[in-house]
Amino acid sequence: SLYTPPAAGDTLEVNFLEIIVHFDVDLTDGFSIQDVNVEARDPCEKAAQEAYEVEGYFCKRGDESIKLLNNPVIQQGDIVTVCVRPMEDGLANAIRMKDIREFTWSLSDGSISQDAIADYLPASNGLTEVWCTSGYAICHFESILFATFFQRPGTVIGSGVADLQFGGEISMTSVSPRRTDRRVKEVQRKDANRERQRQLQEGESPAGPTAEFNMEFDIQPTSQESSGSFSSVRLSLWSMMIVASAATTSL
């Protein structure tokens, strides 16, 4: 009870019941956003492509990394040595040779042509040898032209396609080692064809970077007086090739 002083001065007892009331005040409220339409965003694709070129140049056997400054004048029976490598910007970005796909010699007027490399192999005419190892900076090949090229003065144009790859030998001037075993090259070509077929079946792109290259030189017709000497040179060369082939077969 509680006593309170009345106005007359006497005390007055007042009874009361204590009730404790708790108030919870929440000052937060929810919100919602309605009528908002959404749709799929078009995918953003960015593609970057860098094209690398190769150069074909005349070089000397055993010194393939050095380019001959002047295009030679070729006579009948001469061996034409050609080197192929990526351009300097490609070499600096670790672009290396993978293989030489094809190469053809032809007169500028189109009257005569000669395959040197076909489907990654030396042509079946037997007048070209190729040295090209995947991952090296330089591939090279040597050809002897048909005698019909030298019937009159003219210009011979060589055109080919090279396959490139990323990475390989560290040296920018590393030359593919000499390899004369055609059977090794055929096995490698079959393995490469099987790999390309597998990539096609699995939806991958089998084609690596490729680049075209061209070169040309003048020819000197064979005179009647010197035809005999050219024939003997060519005969000696063929004899050396036959002896080398026989030695390889015996091994």
Side-chain angles (χ1 to χ4, degrees):
S1 62
L2 177 66
Y3 293 92
T4 60
D10 297 332
T11 59
L12 178 67
E13 183 178 357
V14 177
N15 294 322
F16 69 93
L17 180 63
E18 182 180 8
I19 299 175
I20 301 176
V21 179
H22 296 278
F23 290 94
D24 293 329
V25 181
D26 188 358
L27 299 179
T28 64
D29 194 4
F31 66 94
S32 63
I33 299 176
Q34 299 178 352
D35 299 330
V36 176
N37 297 323
V38 296
E39 61 182 6
R41 182 178 180 181
D42 294 334
C44 180
E45 296 182 359
K46 295 182 178 180
Q49 183 176 359
E50 185 74 24
Y52 294 100
E53 298 180 350
V54 299
E55 62 173 342
Y57 58 94
F58 296 102
C59 53
K60 296 174 62 177
R61 173 182 287 191
D63 203 8
E64 291 84 359
S65 61
I66 298 179
K67 183 192 307 184
L68 297 182
L69 298 180
N70 298 320
N71 293 344
V73 177
I74 303 300
Q75 299 180 348
Q76 183 176 350
D78 288 347
I79 297 177
V80 183
T81 304
V82 176
C83 292
V84 185
R85 67 181 179 188
M87 301 292 284
E88 293 298 331
D89 59 337
L91 290 172
N93 290 317
I95 299 298
R96 297 294 182 264
M97 293 293 298
K98 185 175 183 180
D99 213 333
I100 302 176
R101 181 180 302 185
E102 59 186 43
F103 191 89
T104 301
W105 299 110
S106 60
L107 278 178
S108 57
D109 60 7
S111 59
I112 303 173
S113 65
Q114 173 185 335
D115 289 338
I117 303 173
D119 194 18
Y120 304 99
L121 285 173
S124 58
N125 53 44
L127 296 179
T128 298
E129 288 290 335
V130 183
W131 295 271
C132 192
T133 302
S134 176
Y136 278 71
I138 302 174
C139 292
H140 57 291
F141 63 93
E142 298 175 348
S143 292
I144 298 177
L145 298 181
F146 293 153
T148 51
F149 277 93
F150 301 91
Q151 294 178 350
R152 61 183 183 277
T155 300
V156 175
I157 299 175
S159 58
V161 177
D163 289 0
L164 305 175
Q165 70 176 48
F166 291 95
E169 291 294 315
I170 298 177
S171 173
M172 292 186 182
T173 59
S174 54
V175 182
S176 297
R178 297 189 174 274
R179 183 179 61 231
T180 59
D181 193 343
R182 182 183 178 91
R183 291 171 296 180
V184 173
K185 189 71 173 179
E186 290 175 346
V187 170
Q188 291 178 340
R189 186 192 66 169
K190 291 179 181 179
D191 292 341
N193 287 337
R194 282 195 293 266
E195 178 63 16
R196 284 190 284 267
Q197 291 297 325
R198 182 196 65 78
Q199 291 175 330
L200 287 173
Q201 292 174 358
E202 297 181 0
E204 302 176 10
S205 175
T210 62
E212 298 180 354
F213 61 99
N214 299 280
M215 55 198 316
E216 64 179 47
F217 58 87
D218 295 329
I219 54 175
Q220 179 176 333
T222 302
S223 62
Q224 293 182 354
E225 292 79 6
S226 59
S227 61
S229 61
F230 283 123
S231 299
S232 61
V233 170
R234 188 170 184 178
L235 181 60
S236 299
L237 179 63
W238 275 107
S239 299
M240 293 172 61
M241 293 176 65
I242 292 174
V243 171
S245 176
T248 303
T249 302
S250 62
L251 294 177

